Amino acid sequence: MGLAYRIEESATLVTYRDALWRTMHDALARDPSVIVMGQGVDDHKGIFGSTTGLATTFGATRVFDVPLAEDGMTGVALGAALGGLYPIQTHIRCDFALLAVNQLVNMVAKYRYMFGGRFRVPMLVRTVIGRSWGQGAQHSQSPQALFAHVPGLVVVLPSAADSITATYDALIGEKQVPVISFEHRLLYDVAFRAPASAPEWPLAPLGSILRRRGRDVTVVATSILVLEALRAAEHLARTAGIEVEVIDLHCASHPDREMILGSVARTGRLIVADTSWCAYGVAAEICRLVCEHDPSALRAPVTTIGMAPAPCPTAKTLEDLFYPSLRRLSDEIAALARGTRQHGIELPAEASMADVYKKFKGPF
Amino acid sequence: MGLAYRIEESATLVTYRDALWRTMHDALARDPSVIVMGQGVDDHKGIFGSTTGLATTFGATRVFDVPLAEDGMTGVALGAALGGLYPIQTHIRCDFALLAVNQLVNMVAKYRYMFGGRFRVPMLVRTVIGRSWGQGAQHSQSPQALFAHVPGLVVVLPSAADSITATYDALIGEKQVPVISFEHRLLYDVAFRAPASAPEWPLAPLGSILRRRGRDVTVVATSILVLEALRAAEHLARTAGIEVEVIDLHCASHPDREMILGSVARTGRLIVADTSWCAYGVAAEICRLVCEHDPSALRAPVTTIGMAPAPCPTAKTLEDLFYPSLRRLSDEIAALARGTRQHGIELPAEASMADVYKKFKGPF
Amino acid sequence: MTTFADERERLLYQALRIRRVEEHIARIYPSDCIQSPVHLSLGQEAVAVGACAPLRAGDRVFGTYRSHAFYLACGGSLREMMAELFGKATGCAGGKAGSMHLTAPEVGFMGSSAVVASTIPNAVGAALAAQRLGTGAITLAVFGDGATEEGVYHESLNFAALHRLPVLFLCENNGLAVHSHRASRQSYDLMHHARGFGITAEHCASGFDPMAVRALVEMAAQALRAGAGPRFIECATYRYAEHVGIGDDHDVGYRSPADCAAWRAHDPLILEAARLERFEAAIAAEIADAVTFAAASPWPEPDALLRDVA
Amino acid sequence: MTTFADERERLLYQALRIRRVEEHIARIYPSDCIQSPVHLSLGQEAVAVGACAPLRAGDRVFGTYRSHAFYLACGGSLREMMAELFGKATGCAGGKAGSMHLTAPEVGFMGSSAVVASTIPNAVGAALAAQRLGTGAITLAVFGDGATEEGVYHESLNFAALHRLPVLFLCENNGLAVHSHRASRQSYDLMHHARGFGITAEHCASGFDPMAVRALVEMAAQALRAGAGPRFIECATYRYAEHVGIGDDHDVGYRSPADCAAWRAHDPLILEAARLERFEAAIAAEIADAVTFAAASPWPEPDALLRDVA
Ligand SMILES: Cc1ncc(C[n+]2csc(CCOP(=O)(O)OP(=O)(O)O)c2C)c(N)n1
Ligand SMILES: Cc1ncc(C[n+]2csc(CCOP(=O)(O)OP(=O)(O)O)c2C)c(N)n1
Ligand SMILES: [Mg+2]
Ligand SMILES: [Mg+2]
C-alpha cells in the first residue's frame, strides 16, 4: 500500500514512459502472437517514446505503422485477436478512438457475449489523454466514461509506472479481455519510485488501488489526478493535519466497490476527481455506488472535480480554469474536511498542472 | 402537470408516430430550410411511419435517402447546418449513431465553442431505440449517456406525443443547438391523450417534466420507463395507497435539477429507471446531482433500474430479465416505500414490455 | 449419406437445403416460435454454396445479419441454428445471438453482425493473423452492395491491399439496401472501385449458378493461398423476400415483379426442381428434426444473462 | 495598398507574406507566447494562394489543423490570427481555437479540425446547402494525402458525386502523414481513386507555382458553378518544417535533405527573392503590428469559459 510517488529525476526511478516501453518490449519478447500496430509506432518518436526501436528489434511484421483509419484498424485488431494474435493498438490521442466507437462498442465489447461465449477478444487499445498545452477541444478529451458505460470492455487509467507494469503485464499475459487504456500525456515524463519487487504490487491488475490512507476525507481519483490528490494530501497533512485517503480508481469499468464504500464509511466525506467531465462521468458513477449502498455514510455533500462543462479552450488562462488544479483540489478537500469554505488553510502556490508536469517543451 | 397517458386505441388520441409525422411535416411546411435526410426516409415504410409521404409532398431535394455512411452523413448535416439549412437526420436504430461519434462528439458538439461562438449548429438527429423482440446486442442499445457526457449536445428522450411536439417544434423553430433524440420503438404505436391546447405544455422544451405528483417515492425515469413508472404508480396507489412522484427526465443533457432535488427533498426516496445501463448512465448522473446537493435528503439507499450489465441477448427468457419490467419497477417502489422487500403488496401481473406495447407483430 | 452425381449436383442440393430451411422458417414464423428478426437469403443461396465450396479446414468466413445461407454452406449445424432462432440454450450461441449473429467457429464461420459492414475489417484482421502466423488459411469477407458505402470498407480494402492479405472480399450484390437501389446510393462501379486499390476483381453475372461462383472463388482462393494479395468478387444475385421478415414485397412499388420473374427464370432450384426432387424428403426430414430439436430444447438458464460479459 | 505587376506577382506576394508570418511564428515560438501546437505550411503556401485566388464572396473553404496558409489566403485577419495563437480575447475565435482551429467566416474560411479528414464531409454539406438554397457558391474541402485514408473520405466523395454537389476536393499531397510516406499507407492512386466516383480529377505537379494551382482551380470552379458536379485536384507539395512544431527534421531519417533541396530548387519564393524583396518591408511591418496587437490584447475573461457551449 501507499506506493509513493516522486516527481524527480533519478536513475533509480522508473518513468511512466519507461514502464510503457518495458511492458511493450517484454510482451513482444515473451509472446510471438503479440503485435503492436498504430500510426507512428515505428517512427523515431515511437508514441512518445513508448515504442521506440521495437520495430527494429521485433521486425516490421510485428510492430507496424497503419493508415489513418481508426475504425478499420480497430476492426482489424479484433479480427486479428479472433485469429490468434494479441494486438496492441495505439492512438496518440484518445480523441481518435472516437472514430472507432462502432468497432469498440458494437463489436469488440460484444463479440464474446453475442456469440454465446464462443470467442475471446484478447486485445489492448492504448490511447493517450492529450493535455499538455493549447491542445484545444479535440486533443484534450478523456472519454473513459463512454467506454465504461458499455459492458464488455475493460477500461483502465494507469496513474503511475507501477499500475502500467502490473496491469499491462497481467492483461497481455492473460489474453482474455478487450482492454482500453487511457494514458496521460503529462505523466510520461514523471519518474516513479519503482516497487522493489513484484509482490509489492498488492492488488488485482483490474482493481482500484489504495494509494494513501487517511481518516478525514476520501478522494477517489483517476489518472494524473491521483498524483494531484497525493500532492494535495501531503500539503494538507503537513500544514493542517488533515489526513486524506486517496483511492486510485484505476479501472473505471470495474471499480473496487468495497474499497471505495469502506473508505467513505470511515471518512464520511467524499471527493471525486476525474480527468473528464463530471456529468455522466466517473464522478457520477462513484456517487451511484455510494447512493445504492448507503448514502447515510455521507456526512456532507460530495464534491466533484473534473473538466469544466465545456469543450476545452486553448488560451492558457481559460485552460487553467478548465482543468482541475492542485489548488482547487486542496481547497475543496480543506473545505470538506473543515466543513466550511472559510477553512483558513493556506493553499499550495502552483502554476498550472501542465507547467508542473511538463518537462518537455514545445508542441506536443 | 400530470398530462395523462392512455394506452388505448381511439381516434381522438395522438400516437407517438403521428406526433413525429406531424412535427416533421410542419417543420418542412413552415421552413424551407428544413431538410430530412436518412436511410429510407423516402421509402414506403418511412422510418416506422414518421416520414411517410413527405418526400412526395416536399420533393426529393428536401426529403431524401442517403447512402450507408453514418459518419459522413452526420458531417454533411453539420456542413449543411453551417450553410444555412436545418437538417433532420434519421437513424432507424440509435446503435448506428455510434458510427457517427466522431462527427457528433468531435465536431457537432464543439463547432460553436471551438470557434469562439462564431457558428451555430442547428440540427436534429433522430434515432430510434430498438427494443421490440430478439433485436440482440446491436439493435437494442440506448446510448444517451455517451452523448450527454459531452458538453455541446442537447440529448432528449421523448416519452410521449406531447414531449415530441413541444420539443421538436420549439427546437426546429429556434434553430440554435444540435440535438440528438432517442425515440423508443415500442412507443410509436402508443396513443396518448392530446393536450387540449398548446398552453397545456407547461415547460421549457428542454426541461424535465413532472408527470405525476406523489409524496412517497420519487421516480426519475426516461423514455418508455416513464410510462412504466406511471403504470406502476397507478397500481401502487390503487392497491396500497403508495403515492409515487414521476419525473420524466426528458432532457438527459439538461436535467431539471430543482425539480429532481425538490422532489427528493420531499419524498426522501429515489428510484432512477433508465433505458440503458446504470453504470455511467442516467442512474449515475441523477445520483451525482443528489450527492452534490444534499445526500442527507435520502432516507434510504437509491434504487437504480436499467438494462442488466451485459450486451442484450436475443432469447425471450433472457431478454425479459435483461430489460427493466413493470413488475420489477413496482416491486422496487413498494420495497422502497415500505422500507422492506417483504412489503406484501401484490404486483401487477404482466407479460414482457414488448408484449404490452407491441401492437405490431413480426420482424421489426 | 447423400451421394451426388457430380459437384454441381452437390452444390444444388446444398442450395436447395438452404432454401427449404428458409421456407420452413417463413412457414413457422407467424407462430412466434422464432422471436427475432430474420433476413432471408431466398434467391441468394447459390452464392453461399458456391463460395464456400472451395474452402478448406482452417479457412474463415465472416458474414452479415443475412447469413443463414453462409452459416449452412460452411457446414454449421442446422439443429443449432434452428435452436438459436428459437432462443434456446442449445443454439449455436446459447440463445444470445438470434438470426442476426449466427456463428459456427468449429467450421470457420466466425460470426455475423447486424451493423452493416462491421465484419469486413474483422475478416481483414483474421487474414492478417493467418498471414503472420503462417497458417496458410484464407478468409472470406461477405457483405452486401450497400456495405460498400461505409467508410470502413474503404479502410479495409486499403489495408488488405497494402499488406497483401489473404482475404477475399465477396460482395453479394442484390442491387438493394433495404428498399434503395444502388443508383441512388453509389456513384462508383464496384469492380472498378476495388481495382483502384490494386485488387484483382471479378464479376459473376450468374449468381444463381453455384458452379459459376465456385469457379471464381476457387481461382481467387488459389491466388490468395499463393500470397498474391486480396481479391474481390462481385456476385449478382437477387433477394426474393422482403428485406427483413418473411413476406414478399413486390407489390409495394420499390421493385417490380418482372425483375423477380426474370431471376426466377434462371434459378436452377426452380428450373431443375424435378431432378432435385429426390433430395426433398431427406431435407424435409432433417428440417423437421431440427425444429423438433429446437422446440424441445430448454431455454437458457437465468444465470446465462451475466455470463461471458468480460 | 500594395500594387502588383500582374496576378502572378500578387500571388507570390501572398505566398511570401504567409511564409514570413510562419517564419516569424517559428522565431517567437520558443518564448512560449504561443502556447499551442503549430503545424506550419512552410513550403506549401503556393497551393493555398493559388487555390483561393479564383474564389468569390460567398464561397467557402474548410481546412485542417495546418491552415495558417489557407486562413490568410482567404483573407482572414492576420491580427486576429496572431491574437488567436497567443490565446487572446481578440483572436479570431476569442482564444478558444489556437492554431489548429482557425476560422474566419466573414471571408468564407469556415473552420478547421484537428481530427484528420473531419471537415471533408462538412464541406460537402455546405455544398449541399449552397446547391439547395441556390446561392451559386462553391465549397473547397482542403485536406492532406493522409486524410484520404479515412473512411469518411470515401463517404464524402460518394455523396458529393451522387448529388453533383459544387464541392472541390483539394488534396495537398506532401507525401507524408507525420513521418509516414504514402507508400506505407496507401494502395491507391489519388486521382484514379477519385475518378472511380465519376469525379473529374486533375493533378498539379508544380504545387510550388501558385499560377499553376490557380489555373486548375479556376477551371474546376467554373465547372462547379455550372453544376457539373464535384471535382478533385491533387497538388504535389512539400513541407519544409517538421510535422508539428517549428523545427526542421531532415536529419532524423524519415526523409532526405535531398528531397527538400529539390523542392527548394523550384520554390519561387526562394528563386525570385530579389524580385520579391520590395514587399519585405511592408510584410515585416504588418507582422510586427499583428504581434504587437496580439501581445497587447487582453486574455479572455474567465466567464468566456462557459460561454457558447450549447
Ligand atoms: C451501419 C448500419 N446502417 C444501417 C443499417 C440498417 N440496415 C440494415 S440492412 C441494410 C441494407 C444493407 O444492404 P446490403 O449491404 O446491400 O445488404 P443486403 O441487405 O442487401 O443483403 C441497412 C441499411 C445497419 N444495420 N447498419
Ligand atoms: C483521425 C486522426 N487520426 C490521427 C491523427 C494524428 N495526425 C495528425 S496530423 C496526421 C497526418 C495527416 O497527414 P495528411 O492528411 O497528409 O496532412 P499533413 O499533415 O501532411 O498536412 C496525423 C496522423 C489525427 N489528428 N486525427
Ligand atoms: Mg444489397
Ligand atoms: Mg500529408
Side-chain angles (χ1 to χ4, degrees):
Chain A
M1 301 287 157
L3 302 173
Y5 290 82
R6 277 301 136 81
I7 299 160
E8 57 186 81
E9 277 161 288
S10 151
T12 67
L13 302 185
V14 180
T15 63
Y16 198 76
R17 168 185 295 111
D18 290 343
L20 285 166
W21 189 89
R22 175 61 53 197
T23 55
M24 295 298 104
H25 175 277
D26 291 359
L28 286 159
R30 194 171 58 231
D31 183 344
S33 76
V34 170
I35 59 171
V36 177
M37 54 188 277
Q39 294 160 24
V41 291
D42 60 353
D43 70 18
H44 60 286
K45 295 203 168 172
I47 314 295
F48 307 123
S50 67
T51 62
T52 321
L54 297 178
T56 310
T57 309
F58 297 101
T61 58
R62 297 191 58 205
V63 180
F64 53 92
D65 194 28
V66 300
L68 281 77
E70 286 76 8
D71 192 44
M73 289 309 107
T74 307
V76 166
L78 166 52
L82 298 174
L85 297 179
Y86 184 97
I88 300 175
Q89 187 192 13
T90 62
H91 297 287
I92 204 153
R93 286 287 175 267
C94 60
D95 314 67
F96 309 153
L98 297 178
L99 281 83
V101 165
N102 178 50
Q103 282 294 327
L104 288 168
V105 170
N106 280 334
M107 303 298 288
V108 171
K110 297 175 173 46
Y111 222 91
R112 180 174 169 198
Y113 188 92
M114 183 160 81
F115 297 112
R118 303 199 63 179
F119 300 99
R120 297 275 184 157
V121 183
M123 62 188 272
L124 168 63
V125 181
R126 284 182 49 202
T127 79
V128 182
I129 300 172
R131 174 162 191 190
S132 39
W133 64 354
Q135 297 282 313
Q138 298 172 329
H139 278 48
S140 56
Q141 295 169 97
S142 195
Q144 57 269 22
L146 273 50
F147 297 103
H149 180 56
V150 180
L153 295 173
V154 171
V155 181
V156 296
L157 295 107
S159 74
D162 62 358
S163 32
I164 286 166
T165 307
T167 306
Y168 287 12
D169 279 353
L171 290 172
I172 300 175
E174 274 190 38
K175 300 187 164 208
Q176 299 295 318
V177 290
V179 182
I180 180 162
S181 179
F182 295 88
E183 303 165 2
H184 202 292
R185 177 67 187 93
L186 289 183
L187 291 177
Y188 271 65
D189 295 279
V190 176
F192 297 85
R193 200 190 296 157
S197 65
E200 270 203 43
W201 177 265
L203 298 160
L206 298 181
S208 303
I209 307 161
L210 186 60
R211 293 287 186 186
R212 187 182 200 281
R213 286 197 190 284
R215 62 173 180 270
D216 297 319
V217 174
T218 301
V219 178
V220 176
T222 57
S223 186
I224 198 167
L225 289 168
V226 174
L227 272 73
E228 293 300 273
L230 289 171
R231 290 170 69 206
E234 275 166 40
H235 172 83
L236 293 170
R238 205 170 48 241
T239 59
I242 295 172
E243 288 301 336
V244 182
E245 183 141 309
V246 179
I247 295 175
D248 178 352
L249 184 65
H250 185 54
C251 189
S253 57
H254 297 75
D256 188 328
R257 282 167 179 263
E258 265 175 58
M259 184 188 294
I260 295 167
L261 298 173
S263 178
V264 172
R266 270 181 278 110
T267 65
R269 295 185 175 80
L270 173 63
I271 293 189
V272 187
D274 181 40
T275 51
S276 188
W277 298 291
C278 290
Y280 295 89
V282 167
E285 178 63 1
I286 302 302
C287 288
R288 180 178 75 92
L289 300 185
V290 174
C291 280
E292 287 179 354
H293 181 70
D294 181 12
S296 75
L298 294 170
R299 279 176 257 152
V302 175
T303 301
T304 62
I305 294 178
M307 301 196 299
C312 180
T314 48
K316 191 88 180 329
T317 52
L318 296 179
E319 212 184 38
D320 285 346
L321 294 172
F322 175 81
Y323 285 113
S325 67
L326 172 60
R327 210 177 155 81
R328 160 110 191 277
L329 193 52
S330 305
D331 187 31
E332 296 289 359
I333 297 172
L336 191 58
R338 290 286 193 261
T340 169
R341 298 219 71 88
Q342 276 68 53
H343 50 72
I345 299 169
E346 196 196 344
L347 298 179
E350 77 160 340
S352 89
M353 208 194 290
D355 294 332
V356 177
Y357 288 98
K358 189 162 57 86
K359 296 236 186 62
F360 66 94
K361 215 182 153 194
F364 272 32
Chain B
M1 303 286 157
L3 302 173
Y5 289 84
R6 278 299 137 79
I7 298 159
E8 56 186 80
E9 275 161 288
S10 151
T12 68
L13 302 185
V14 181
T15 63
Y16 197 76
R17 169 185 293 111
D18 290 343
L20 285 166
W21 189 89
R22 175 60 55 195
T23 55
M24 294 297 105
H25 175 277
D26 291 359
L28 286 159
R30 194 170 60 230
D31 184 342
S33 75
V34 170
I35 59 171
V36 177
M37 54 189 277
Q39 293 161 24
V41 290
D42 60 352
D43 71 16
H44 60 286
K45 295 204 169 171
I47 314 295
F48 307 123
S50 68
T51 62
T52 322
L54 298 177
T56 311
T57 308
F58 297 101
T61 59
R62 298 191 58 204
V63 180
F64 52 92
D65 194 28
V66 300
L68 280 77
E70 286 76 9
D71 192 44
M73 291 307 108
T74 307
V76 165
L78 166 53
L82 299 174
L85 297 179
Y86 185 98
I88 300 175
Q89 187 191 15
T90 62
H91 296 288
I92 205 154
R93 284 287 176 268
C94 60
D95 313 68
F96 309 153
L98 297 178
L99 281 83
V101 165
N102 178 48
Q103 282 294 326
L104 288 167
V105 170
N106 281 334
M107 302 299 287
V108 171
K110 298 177 172 44
Y111 222 91
R112 181 174 168 197
Y113 187 92
M114 184 160 79
F115 297 112
R118 303 198 65 179
F119 300 99
R120 297 275 185 158
V121 183
M123 61 186 273
L124 169 62
V125 181
R126 284 181 50 202
T127 78
V128 183
I129 301 172
R131 175 164 188 188
S132 40
W133 65 354
Q135 297 282 312
Q138 298 173 328
H139 278 48
S140 56
Q141 295 169 98
S142 194
Q144 57 268 23
L146 272 49
F147 297 104
H149 180 55
V150 180
L153 294 174
V154 171
V155 181
V156 296
L157 296 108
S159 74
D162 62 358
S163 34
I164 285 166
T165 308
T167 305
Y168 286 14
D169 279 353
L171 290 172
I172 300 175
E174 274 190 39
K175 298 185 164 212
Q176 298 297 318
V177 290
V179 181
I180 180 163
S181 180
F182 295 88
E183 304 165 2
H184 202 292
R185 177 68 188 93
L186 289 182
L187 291 177
Y188 270 64
D189 295 279
V190 176
F192 296 85
R193 199 190 296 158
S197 65
E200 269 204 45
W201 177 266
L203 298 161
L206 297 182
S208 303
I209 307 161
L210 186 61
R211 293 285 186 188
R212 187 183 199 281
R213 286 196 192 286
R215 62 174 180 270
D216 296 319
V217 173
T218 300
V219 178
V220 176
T222 57
S223 187
I224 198 166
L225 289 168
V226 174
L227 273 74
E228 293 299 272
L230 290 169
R231 290 170 70 206
E234 275 166 39
H235 172 83
L236 293 170
R238 206 171 46 241
T239 60
I242 295 173
E243 289 300 336
V244 181
E245 183 142 309
V246 178
I247 295 175
D248 178 352
L249 184 65
H250 184 54
C251 189
S253 57
H254 297 75
D256 188 327
R257 282 169 179 263
E258 266 175 55
M259 183 187 293
I260 294 166
L261 297 174
S263 178
V264 172
R266 269 180 280 109
T267 65
R269 294 185 175 81
L270 173 64
I271 293 190
V272 187
D274 181 41
T275 51
S276 188
W277 297 291
C278 291
Y280 295 89
V282 167
E285 178 62 1
I286 302 303
C287 289
R288 180 178 75 93
L289 300 184
V290 174
C291 280
E292 287 179 355
H293 181 69
D294 181 13
S296 76
L298 293 170
R299 279 176 257 152
V302 175
T303 301
T304 62
I305 295 177
M307 301 195 301
C312 180
T314 48
K316 192 87 177 335
T317 50
L318 295 180
E319 213 185 36
D320 285 345
L321 293 172
F322 176 80
Y323 286 114
S325 67
L326 172 60
R327 209 178 155 82
R328 161 112 190 274
L329 193 51
S330 306
D331 187 30
E332 295 290 359
I333 297 173
L336 191 57
R338 290 287 193 262
T340 168
R341 298 220 70 89
Q342 276 68 52
H343 50 72
I345 298 168
E346 196 196 344
L347 298 178
E350 76 160 344
S352 90
M353 209 193 292
D355 293 332
V356 177
Y357 288 97
K358 190 163 56 88
K359 297 237 184 60
F360 65 93
K361 215 183 154 192
F364 272 33
Chain C
M1 275 295 293
T2 326
T3 56
F4 305 102
D6 54 19
E7 176 69 354
R8 180 163 188 277
E9 192 179 73
R10 189 179 74 86
L11 296 187
L12 288 180
Y13 155 78
Q14 285 195 7
L16 182 72
R17 175 170 173 266
I18 293 168
R19 178 158 306 174
R20 295 295 177 252
V21 167
E22 288 204 323
E23 286 169 347
H24 195 79
I25 288 171
R27 212 169 297 125
I28 63 179
Y29 199 72
S31 77
D32 282 2
C33 56
I34 296 170
Q35 296 216 331
S36 145
V38 289
H39 300 74
L40 301 181
S41 295
L42 291 170
Q44 305 191 180
E45 305 90 341
V47 176
V49 302
C52 292
L55 298 185
R56 302 184 187 157
D59 291 345
R60 299 190 178 99
V61 178
F62 287 80
T64 73
Y65 48 89
R66 192 186 305 288
S67 275
H68 297 167
F70 270 91
Y71 170 96
L72 291 172
C74 277
S77 152
L78 177 59
R79 280 184 157 200
E80 290 185 16
M81 170 176 143
M82 202 59 83
E84 188 57 46
L85 268 58
F86 276 58
K88 296 303 183 71
T90 52
C92 59
K96 286 177 171 172
S99 163
M100 296 200 288
H101 305 293
L102 293 178
T103 186
E106 70 282 5
V107 292
F109 191 72
M110 297 296 285
S112 34
S113 167
V115 180
V116 172
S118 293
T119 54
I120 301 175
N122 304 156
V124 173
L128 177 77
Q131 185 196 62
R132 300 291 147 99
L133 297 172
T135 68
I138 67 171
T139 304
L140 232 69
V142 181
F143 50 88
D145 49 302
T148 67
E149 295 152 29
E150 294 285 359
V152 75
Y153 177 62
H154 168 87
E155 298 177 355
S156 299
L157 291 186
N158 184 37
F159 186 77
L162 261 183
H163 289 267
R164 303 179 69 80
L165 299 179
V167 56
L168 170 57
F169 297 102
L170 184 79
C171 180
E172 298 185 280
N173 182 0
N174 59 16
L176 290 170
V178 193
H179 313 116
S180 299
H181 292 269
R182 271 189 60 220
S184 69
R185 298 178 279 115
Q186 295 178 9
S187 58
Y188 50 88
D189 172 76
L190 285 164
M191 295 224 297
H192 182 263
H193 176 267
R195 287 183 184 135
F197 295 83
I199 295 175
T200 303
E202 306 276 357
H203 185 259
C204 179
S206 43
F208 46 78
D209 175 2
M211 290 302 281
V213 176
R214 188 192 198 293
L216 282 180
V217 173
E218 175 78 58
M219 248 173 48
Q222 270 168 26
L224 290 173
R225 292 190 211 282
R231 291 277 178 139
F232 174 88
I233 296 177
E234 173 188 353
C235 291
T237 185
Y238 191 85
R239 142 165 87 68
Y240 290 150
E242 60 185 337
H243 167 69
V244 56
I246 60 169
D248 151 334
D249 62 358
H250 290 84
D251 56 336
V252 297
Y254 75 93
R255 57 178 181 166
S256 83
D259 291 350
C260 182
W263 196 263
R264 295 174 68 92
H266 289 299
D267 185 336
L269 300 186
I270 297 171
L271 300 181
E272 303 176 40
R275 176 180 163 192
L276 298 170
E277 175 59 34
R278 73 180 183 96
F279 298 119
E280 296 281 7
I283 290 173
E286 200 196 350
I287 293 171
D289 165 73
V291 171
T292 307
F293 172 80
S297 288
W299 300 107
E301 295 294 328
D303 69 357
L305 180 66
L306 298 182
R307 203 186 300 138
D308 294 320
V309 176
Chain D
M1 274 295 294
T2 328
T3 55
F4 304 103
D6 54 18
E7 176 69 357
R8 180 162 188 279
E9 194 179 72
R10 190 179 74 86
L11 298 186
L12 288 181
Y13 156 78
Q14 286 195 9
L16 182 72
R17 177 171 172 266
I18 293 167
R19 178 158 307 173
R20 295 295 178 252
V21 167
E22 288 203 324
E23 286 169 348
H24 195 80
I25 287 171
R27 213 169 296 126
I28 63 179
Y29 199 73
S31 77
D32 281 2
C33 55
I34 297 169
Q35 296 216 332
S36 143
V38 289
H39 300 73
L40 302 181
S41 295
L42 291 171
Q44 304 191 183
E45 306 89 342
V47 176
V49 302
C52 292
L55 298 185
R56 300 184 188 159
D59 292 345
R60 298 190 179 96
V61 178
F62 287 81
T64 73
Y65 49 89
R66 193 187 303 288
S67 274
H68 297 167
F70 270 91
Y71 170 96
L72 291 172
C74 278
S77 152
L78 176 59
R79 280 183 158 202
E80 289 184 18
M81 170 176 142
M82 203 59 82
E84 188 57 46
L85 267 58
F86 276 57
K88 296 302 182 73
T90 53
C92 59
K96 287 177 172 172
S99 162
M100 296 200 289
H101 305 294
L102 293 179
T103 186
E106 70 283 4
V107 292
F109 191 72
M110 299 295 285
S112 34
S113 166
V115 179
V116 172
S118 293
T119 55
I120 301 175
N122 304 156
V124 173
L128 178 76
Q131 184 197 63
R132 299 291 146 99
L133 298 171
T135 68
I138 67 171
T139 304
L140 230 70
V142 182
F143 49 87
D145 50 301
T148 68
E149 295 150 29
E150 293 285 359
V152 76
Y153 177 64
H154 168 86
E155 298 178 357
S156 298
L157 291 186
N158 184 37
F159 186 77
L162 260 183
H163 289 267
R164 303 178 68 80
L165 298 180
V167 57
L168 170 57
F169 296 102
L170 184 79
C171 181
E172 299 186 277
N173 181 1
N174 59 16
L176 291 170
V178 193
H179 313 116
S180 298
H181 292 268
R182 272 189 60 220
S184 69
R185 298 178 278 115
Q186 295 178 10
S187 57
Y188 50 88
D189 171 76
L190 285 164
M191 296 225 296
H192 183 264
H193 176 267
R195 286 184 184 135
F197 295 83
I199 296 175
T200 304
E202 306 277 356
H203 185 258
C204 180
S206 43
F208 45 78
D209 175 2
M211 290 302 282
V213 176
R214 188 192 198 293
L216 282 179
V217 172
E218 175 77 59
M219 248 172 48
Q222 271 169 26
L224 290 174
R225 291 191 212 282
R231 292 276 178 140
F232 174 88
I233 297 178
E234 172 188 353
C235 291
T237 185
Y238 191 86
R239 144 165 84 68
Y240 290 150
E242 59 185 337
H243 167 68
V244 56
I246 59 170
D248 150 336
D249 63 358
H250 290 85
D251 55 335
V252 297
Y254 75 93
R255 57 179 180 166
S256 82
D259 292 348
C260 182
W263 195 262
R264 295 173 70 91
H266 290 299
D267 185 336
L269 300 186
I270 297 170
L271 300 182
E272 303 176 41
R275 176 180 164 192
L276 297 170
E277 174 61 33
R278 72 179 182 97
F279 299 119
E280 296 282 7
I283 289 173
E286 201 196 349
I287 292 171
D289 164 74
V291 171
T292 307
F293 172 80
S297 289
W299 300 107
E301 296 294 328
D303 68 357
L305 180 66
L306 298 182
R307 203 187 299 139
D308 295 320
V309 176

